Amino acid sequence: MIVLDQENKLITLHTRSTTYQMKADQHNVLIHTYYGPRADGDFSYLVRYADRACAPNPDEAGLDRTYSLDTLPQEYSSCGVGDFRLPSMELELPSGSSSASLRCTGFEVREGKYALEGLPSFRGTEEDAQTLVVFLEDAAAQVGVELYYGVFERYDLITRSVRVVNRGGERVRLRQCASLCLDFLSADLDLITFDGCHMMERCPSRTPLRPGTQGVGSVRGTSSHQHNPFVVLCGREANEDYGVCYGAMLLYSGSFQALAECSQYDNTRLVMGINPYQFCWTLGPGEAFTAPEAAMVCSPRGLGQMSRQFHRAIRERLIQDPLQGQRRPVLINNWEATYFKFDADKLVEIAETAAPLGIEMFVMDDGWFGGRNDDNEGLGDWWLNTEKLPGGLEALVPRLKKLGMRFGIWIEPEMVNENSRLYREHPDWALKIPERAPARCRNQLVLDFSRPEVCRYVYGQIKAVLSSAEVSYVKWDMNRSLTDVCSAVLPPERQGEVYHRYVLGVYEMLEWLRRDFPHILIEGCAGGGGRFDGGMLYYTPQIWCSDNTDAIDRLRIQYGTSFCYPVSAMGAHVSVVPNEENQRITPMETRGAVAMSGTFGYEMDLSKASQEDKEVIRRQTAFFKEHYDLIQHGDYYRLTDPFRNGPYTAWEQVSPDGREALATLVAGCTRAAPPFLALRLKGLDPDAMYQVNGGEERWSGSALMEAGYPLPMLLGDYRTLQLYLKAD
Ligand code: GLA
């Protein structure tokens, strides 16, 4: 609910459990007064004024030395005019100067949720969302700034975006345009970021804020394996179940920045948006720029509740479901089974073993096109390699269909190998700095997706392939970071637009794909989990979580990922042991239990699997299908932290009514004479009586949550236990 108090220029956004407030003050500076657990009042009483040394006063303040932008909490911070903390916006004016100084000129409420053209955003209906637009103006620059807020009461979610319009007669250049600025009147906060590398993405890192600026970002042109565009600020004492926590996600798949600054008087400012590194956008008279959407959840009750709110909102209001609520198929992917060495018969052989085990879709990974026999060649040539696949998809797909299997295919549209027909014909289509030889990575270059003609050409080729047979699924991969970012067609003064235009090109092609093939389920992927962000999730309901398929490493990766993203978004497969990435040996049961807390599939040559493993797989697929809704859409509880090296890692999914739950536990290395342990569950109905795995005995919800479930001794390394709880 948005409450406008026109007289006091006070704007209050209420969600079910939180309140967010801003106010245009006596000089029409938009100050931020409150964000936290739901409360009523005009919180501007918290904003204090004092004559602080070296704190400049804006012209309107006259001789009032207590009024300074440097000490006020602001809704969207200025630059170069007296606030020395993190700016939200930087404008280069015709004089060559850099600054921004905004004053509020009005605000309005609209029913429903705003949409952003060409950019991903949460979707809301008139019933469940409202939009606030606040109009700001930089009079000297003749620039208008509109701050957009989407309020989703039920999800405790507030989205934000910013639109900048050049209202003057001369060009201005935007050097920074953050999506979110959030000021806190306290510095007593911890910052949690989600960091890592290829094969170990999104590991949480929590540190108390210290004076100065700290944060994360990416200059890779993708959101990256190294840092995720999702951060949390929370009370020092906050844990899974207790404390006020603020989560902020950016719906953007390119270079981003999320910085928290703890300033001299113990205030904190969080600024998040497109990374200003090499960003410079020219706005001619009348032109506008829109910043990507950011979304915030404040949880008054710990990190677990924050995650569950993000999960619900992402599942129900961000992801566009091509299957219209139907269960996603259990799949088998041939990458770790064959790598580039396959032909149609080999694929069908794997499918033949998979189908009777309950696997429903076959995904053909890299190596099916052009001259692609290893990862040095062929990218860019999107036609079937008929030596491997005689008769093309027209011949292959019916063979799979006969087995009752749907078909999916891998593509990597953004890339090109120099050894390809595409590159030989269009060498200028790759990103290159004219004065330099470009850097290769996986021996490939990046196509210039800031150019519409490049996107159109590649899309045309891929569309022809997808139209040649019944395709149910596409895995959209992207296997390198951007370097040599320079477009052959933009003038020198517009090269600062290439990073962002590239992302817009990717989004546009994904739009075309969704428009032309609305029933295809798209999985995002970038060398594993290198582009796991809310921007991609808008187009691709799931994202391959990591190239690391080892079940034990995955415990950590999926744990970190779960802070923002739901189980149904995390691409996860069972693969062979010893694991290809780290040589670890884990039981098939464990690999299945971990993968099914993701999108669930297999990635191995099942024609080589033992009879015993096949039996386990048959049970796993049946169990997964039976409990699909609970596993994929249930409320998610992290029961332990796998980074603490405890005796086991556990998590739980609970149905919204609390009547059903699935707790999964994976033990670490075995030991002799283990202690007796009990697992304390969460989210149950304390008064209900539960049976576990269909057994005779009954436990009350309160007993299971407070005292715990008595764990059996799990002997042997990395054993798993799945407890299915059902209330009477
Ligand atoms: C990336 C993906 C893998 C696989 C390969 C194919 O590494 O993450 O799953 O598709 O590319 O080249």
Side-chain angles (χ1 to χ4, degrees), residues 355-392:
L357 304 181
I359 297 172
E360 303 157 303
M361 181 160 70
F362 189 92
V363 177
M364 177 169 70
D365 212 281
D366 194 355
W368 57 264
F369 52 91
R372 183 79 164 169
N373 290 312
D374 56 42
D375 59 9
N376 290 311
E377 60 203 341
L379 284 173
D381 293 343
W382 299 107
W383 54 83
L384 267 284
N385 176 335
T386 44
E387 269 170 44
K388 286 182 182 176
L389 304 164

Side-chain angles (χ1 to χ4, degrees), residues 26 41 43 48 144 157 202 233 268 295 305 315 318 445 458 488 504 525 527 535 655 662 675 711 728:
Q26 66 270 34
F43 297 98
R48 316 290 185 83
L157 181 90
R202 293 173 298 286
L233 284 171
T268 301
Q305 178 67 8
R315 280 198 313 259
L318 179 62
L445 302 181
V458 176
L504 295 180
C525 178
S655 64
L662 176 69
L711 291 174
D728 289 335

Side-chain angles (χ1 to χ4, degrees), residues 240 303-309 311-312 315 554-555 557-568 570 594 596-598 630-640 642 649-655 662 664 682-683:
E240 282 294 329
L303 295 160
Q305 178 67 8
M306 175 202 73
S307 298
R308 286 186 287 280
Q309 293 293 42
H311 295 173
R312 256 181 233 134
R315 280 198 313 259
R554 275 289 184 129
L555 294 174
I557 297 168
Q558 293 176 199
Y559 167 85
T561 306
S562 79
F563 277 80
C564 181
Y565 309 102
V567 162
S568 65
M570 296 186 214
V594 174
M596 73 172 70
S597 268
L630 173 63
I631 296 174
Q632 297 287 302
H633 307 138
D635 289 338
Y636 189 84
Y637 290 84
R638 292 177 288 269
L639 301 180
T640 65
T649 297
W651 64 96
E652 184 190 2
Q653 284 104 323
V654 183
S655 64
L662 176 69
T664 307
K682 291 186 182 177

Side-chain angles (χ1 to χ4, degrees), residues 329-333 359 361 544 570-575 591-592 595-596 598-604 620-621 624:
V330 178
L331 65 79
I332 175 120
N333 174 304
I359 297 172
M361 181 160 70
W544 183 229
M570 296 186 214
H573 298 165
V574 173
S575 60
R591 284 174 270 154
M596 73 172 70
T599 57
F600 199 39
Y602 293 80
E603 188 161 331
M604 55 197 289
Q620 281 170 349
T621 58
F624 177 72

Side-chain angles (χ1 to χ4, degrees), residues 333-627:
N333 174 304
N334 73 308
W335 177 243
E336 285 198 25
T338 64
Y339 296 104
F340 294 98
K341 267 206 172 125
F342 63 83
D343 59 18
D345 290 341
K346 179 67 205 171
L347 301 184
V348 172
E349 185 194 15
I350 298 175
E352 276 168 350
T353 351
L357 304 181
I359 297 172
E360 303 157 303
M361 181 160 70
F362 189 92
V363 177
M364 177 169 70
D365 212 281
D366 194 355
W368 57 264
F369 52 91
R372 183 79 164 169
N373 290 312
D374 56 42
D375 59 9
N376 290 311
E377 60 203 341
L379 284 173
D381 293 343
W382 299 107
W383 54 83
L384 267 284
N385 176 335
T386 44
E387 269 170 44
K388 286 182 182 176
L389 304 164
L393 293 190
E394 296 92 318
L396 175 66
V397 176
R399 290 176 74 187
L400 297 168
K401 210 171 169 187
K402 229 190 238 160
L403 298 168
M405 284 194 132
R406 293 189 236 176
F407 174 73
I409 193 166
W410 177 97
I411 54 173
E412 193 176 358
E414 298 155 74
M415 298 294 155
V416 68
N417 287 119
E418 287 152 288
N419 187 6
S420 68
R421 194 197 292 173
L422 177 73
Y423 187 79
R424 281 186 285 274
E425 285 174 7
H426 299 284
D428 67 312
W429 281 12
L431 290 174
K432 269 185 241 166
I433 295 173
E435 297 85 348
R436 298 181 193 283
R440 295 179 194 89
C441 189
R442 214 191 187 202
N443 207 9
Q444 61 198 48
L445 302 181
V446 184
L447 285 175
D448 182 357
F449 263 41
S450 74
R451 292 172 67 173
E453 68 276 26
V454 177
C455 298
R456 274 197 300 270
Y457 177 86
V458 176
Y459 182 67
Q461 291 216 316
I462 287 171
K463 185 176 174 184
V465 173
L466 299 183
S467 307
S468 69
E470 206 177 316
V471 178
S472 306
Y473 169 105
V474 163
K475 176 175 170 188
W476 175 307
D477 208 342
M478 195 288 186
N479 276 312
R480 63 160 289 182
S481 309
L482 271 57
T483 60
D484 305 278
V485 177
C486 183
S487 173
V489 291
L490 283 176
E493 67 278 10
R494 297 199 86 125
Q495 292 296 335
E497 299 178 15
V498 180
Y499 271 108
H500 183 57
R501 285 189 185 276
Y502 178 92
V503 178
L504 295 180
V506 171
Y507 288 160
E508 190 168 24
M509 197 195 280
L510 282 160
E511 283 287 356
W512 298 336
L513 198 53
R514 286 189 43 80
R515 179 198 60 202
D516 295 340
F517 304 96
H519 306 301
I520 288 187
L521 172 64
I522 313 174
E523 173 163 285
C525 178
R531 204 163 55 179
F532 204 119
D533 56 68
M536 287 308 286
L537 280 179
Y538 175 81
Y539 304 99
T540 70
Q542 55 191 57
I543 300 177
W544 183 229
C545 221
S546 177
D547 275 346
N548 187 343
T549 55
D550 167 55
I552 304 307
D553 283 351
R554 275 289 184 129
L555 294 174
R556 291 182 166 193
I557 297 168
Q558 293 176 199
Y559 167 85
T561 306
S562 79
F563 277 80
C564 181
Y565 309 102
V567 162
S568 65
M570 296 186 214
H573 298 165
V574 173
S575 60
V576 287
V577 288
N579 181 270
E580 301 262 318
E581 285 81 34
N582 67 8
Q583 297 297 304
R584 191 182 341 245
I585 296 175
T586 50
M588 178 59 97
E589 286 83 351
T590 304
R591 284 174 270 154
V594 174
M596 73 172 70
S597 268
T599 57
F600 199 39
Y602 293 80
E603 188 161 331
M604 55 197 289
D605 186 349
L606 285 178
S607 66
K608 295 185 185 143
S610 68
Q611 206 43 45
E612 206 185 331
D613 274 355
K614 285 185 193 161
E615 271 319 306
V616 179
I617 294 171
R618 199 193 306 275
R619 284 200 300 276
Q620 281 170 349
T621 58
F623 182 86
F624 177 72
K625 289 175 196 173
E626 189 184 342
H627 301 297

